[in-house]
Amino acid sequence: MLNQYETVIGLEVHLELKTNSKIFCSSSTSFGGKPNTHVCPVCLGLPGVLPVVNKKVVEDAILVALALNCRIAEFSKFDRKNYYYPDMPKNYQISQYDLPIALNGRLEIELDEEIKKIGITRVHMEEDTGKLVHQGTITTTPFSLVDYNRAGVPLLEIVSEPDLRSPEEARIYLEKLKSIIQYTGVSDCRMEEGSLRCDANVSVRQTGKEEFGTKTEIKNMNSFRALQKALTYEVSRQIEVLEEGGRIVQETRTWDEGQGITLPLRSKEQAHDYRYFPEPDLTPMIIEREWVESVRNRLPELPDARRDRYVRDYGLPEYDAGVLTSTKEMADYFEACLNAYSSPKTVSNWIMGDLSRLLNANNLEIDKCPVSPVNLASLFKILDEGTISGKIAKVVFEEMFATGKDAGTIVKEKGLVQISDEGSLSAIVEEIIAGNPKSVSDYRNGKDKAMGFLVGQVMKATKGKANPELVNKLFKEKIKTLIT
């Protein structure tokens, strides 16, 4: 049945900018303060106050728009979006309507080794609303509290074209968008704190039809996983309604994570319902090209360019380069390691392997990694010098991650120096040969895997400290002697 329908998705992403003060006043934007302590007469909308635009917000908006290949408007203005909701004390939101700061951008995502361009309809600035605090879910709470600390925090709304054709595509798009924004440094993009929020417009249409179906808007998705699950559910729900002869109601729905379903919130408004009109307390902005170019000069190397450089300059596979540049923090960590140890593939393997495994197990981001790039490089150096074996290196690394100590200190404290004394290892090798005649016979008859078993016995006997290359050499020499 799914093959008879095509999914159409467009995302509206709200991004909190990391400025010190709010978009139209000097109140703090810091997260986590006591309720209603980061407020002033302007962001509370008290009578007689006047807003003033925060210049940093405009510059950050231009920076993000340039990173998304948008055209920056020469003339832009703010508008009042009129509606009532308890989290908005003025009963209107200062936003942008018909003359946003940027239009017509694009973002590229990779799908099964193919590149797909997703259109960016517009980027506009607006103020955030306050926050309602519910007891339980919004549909079951007996009362709600309101916190206006967030009211007036600067937001960018990034609206995509309805170019996404599956919940998975939507997730990949959002991940790529988050990565690009993090590279620009204008937001921390912490979805769990609400600094990156996503609403999704989703509809289905019969395969081959050009006309869009009736869309619903889904809110309250605060993770990539929630986005994909909510969209998957909503697509199935809409198809089921249509197959039963019903019709889709244009409405706003909420994602209930606990039940794993979307629920109706309210009927979906049209633009004219908001009675937009130009904000009378703010003059329109003329954005000079010199200013745009000065902001363009601040654009950092973005993830795609960095990935291409890793492939070109470091000889890394496309996959490795993509993983390493997926976040700015991981790419910075990788390059800091390279400054102390110049083997890109070795560093890449450790970051993508043991380091990522421990970060995931401990629910840590790489910027909180207890192993510094310099310390990780020191582990590689003592491994190269033969001080420890590859097996012991993994033990040392786990201890480095747990304690934050450097590799040399851990090796010294735990007596993990590699055994490379030929005399000591010869005795152990002879003992293993004597105790494992079948494995020796198998090796003599061409079964190379038997050598792995024999070497493993020596490693076991030495608690992983034997020099494996030397052990291999000794086994071959001694077994050859047996043959002759």
Side-chain angles (χ1 to χ4, degrees), residues 141-380:
T141 183
F143 62 86
S144 296
L145 302 173
V146 63
D147 178 6
Y148 289 122
N149 280 354
R150 204 177 66 180
V153 168
L155 283 184
L156 294 185
E157 182 169 331
I158 302 167
V159 182
S160 83
E161 291 289 308
D163 293 338
L164 301 161
R165 291 292 173 266
S166 71
E168 184 186 13
E169 280 189 24
R171 176 185 56 77
I172 293 171
Y173 164 83
L174 188 60
E175 288 175 343
K176 184 66 175 290
L177 180 63
K178 179 185 177 185
S179 174
I180 291 173
I181 292 167
Q182 285 181 319
Y183 269 72
T184 66
V186 303
S187 174
D188 54 33
C189 295
R190 290 176 181 154
M191 297 182 78
E192 71 279 8
E193 294 180 1
S195 56
L196 180 69
R197 310 193 291 274
C198 177
D199 300 337
N201 290 297
V202 55
S203 63
V204 298
R205 62 184 175 188
Q206 287 194 327
T207 303
K209 297 281 187 182
E210 291 193 4
E211 185 180 357
F212 290 146
T214 303
K215 66 183 178 184
T216 57
E217 182 185 41
I218 309 175
K219 290 184 174 292
N220 294 338
M221 297 169 292
N222 59 3
S223 69
F224 299 117
R225 180 173 171 270
L227 172 71
Q228 188 164 349
K229 285 177 66 178
L231 287 171
T232 300
Y233 173 85
E234 181 61 15
V235 168
S236 297
R237 187 192 71 82
Q238 291 189 13
I239 292 174
E240 186 176 336
V241 169
L242 294 175
E243 284 296 307
E244 292 176 351
R247 66 178 183 86
I248 305 302
V249 177
Q250 182 164 314
E251 62 185 356
T252 299
R253 300 178 69 86
T254 184
W255 168 242
D256 189 316
E257 181 76 35
Q259 297 188 73
I261 61 175
T262 63
L263 295 167
L265 269 181
R266 57 181 181 269
S267 61
K268 175 66 179 168
E269 304 85 355
Q270 302 287 345
H272 62 260
D273 293 324
Y274 291 115
R275 302 295 192 271
Y276 281 100
F277 63 84
E279 169 56 56
D281 291 335
L282 292 169
T283 58
M285 295 173 291
I286 295 174
I287 302 171
E288 296 178 345
R289 297 302 92 179
E290 291 79 7
W291 190 20
V292 174
E293 290 311 306
S294 71
V295 175
R296 191 190 303 277
N297 290 335
R298 286 174 42 207
L299 263 180
E301 183 184 39
L302 296 174
D304 285 353
R306 204 169 192 179
R307 180 200 60 207
D308 293 345
R309 177 166 63 83
Y310 283 11
V311 173
R312 183 182 64 248
D313 293 354
Y314 300 143
L316 292 177
E318 288 269 359
Y319 177 78
D320 291 29
V323 171
L324 292 172
T325 57
S326 60
T327 69
K328 182 176 183 299
E329 289 75 15
M330 183 173 287
D332 288 346
Y333 188 97
F334 170 73
E335 292 192 23
C337 286
L338 285 188
N339 287 335
Y341 185 80
S342 58
S343 174
K345 186 56 179 168
T346 299
V347 176
S348 169
N349 287 345
W350 274 83
I351 290 178
M352 294 170 57
D354 294 77
L355 182 62
S356 291
R357 174 178 59 80
L358 290 179
L359 288 173
N360 291 335
N362 291 275
N363 197 27
L364 286 176
E365 299 294 334
I366 198 164
D367 58 340
K368 305 295 182 189
C369 180
V371 181
S372 70
V374 170
N375 278 354
L376 184 57
S378 73
L379 175 66
F380 302 149

